[in-house]
Amino acid sequence: MTEMVERVARVLLDADGISFPSGRKREWNEIPDGQRAAYSAIARAAIAAMREPTEGMKFAGRTEKPFLAPQENWTPGQIVADAVYRAMIDAALAEGK
């Protein structure tokens, strides 16, 4: 499983609000392998659904103006890619609000 798939799967588990009878939330490593696989499959599908950007995401990506402050071991291209990616995801989350 990739880092992003697991990150999204963990958020889905948290959003489901599954807890123990005591009320304590279940942690990722406390759920059965089958449930982890199911959450991972849903996460992968959710990420795949975002593959094609919306018009709002495209606009955000085109108009993002990243601050190119020098950062250790980063190239300007990496800084731009990170800024554009975040701007596009933010635009997707803002749609319909």
Side-chain angles (χ1 to χ4, degrees):
M1 171 180 347
T2 67
E3 177 185 352
M4 184 59 73
V5 170
E6 184 172 329
R7 189 185 306 174
V8 173
R10 286 172 178 261
V11 169
L12 291 169
L13 171 66
D14 191 52
D16 268 353
I18 297 173
S19 60
F20 289 106
S22 66
R24 184 175 67 80
K25 287 188 137 187
R26 295 178 81 181
E27 297 295 328
W28 182 252
N29 61 351
E30 296 175 324
I31 64 173
D33 290 344
Q35 282 185 310
R36 278 199 298 273
Y39 279 107
S40 297
I42 295 166
R44 189 172 295 282
I47 294 167
M50 295 180 64
R51 185 177 179 92
E52 292 302 320
T54 64
E55 291 304 315
M57 292 173 72
K58 290 177 189 178
F59 179 79
R62 285 192 305 269
T63 58
E64 176 62 21
K65 297 192 177 19
F67 176 66
L68 295 177
Q71 297 183 29
E72 190 175 330
N73 299 322
W74 280 61
T75 66
Q78 288 170 311
I79 296 169
V80 170
D82 277 8
V84 169
Y85 177 81
R86 286 187 183 100
M88 293 175 76
I89 296 298
D90 289 347
L93 293 171
E95 289 177 0
K97 278 192 169 182

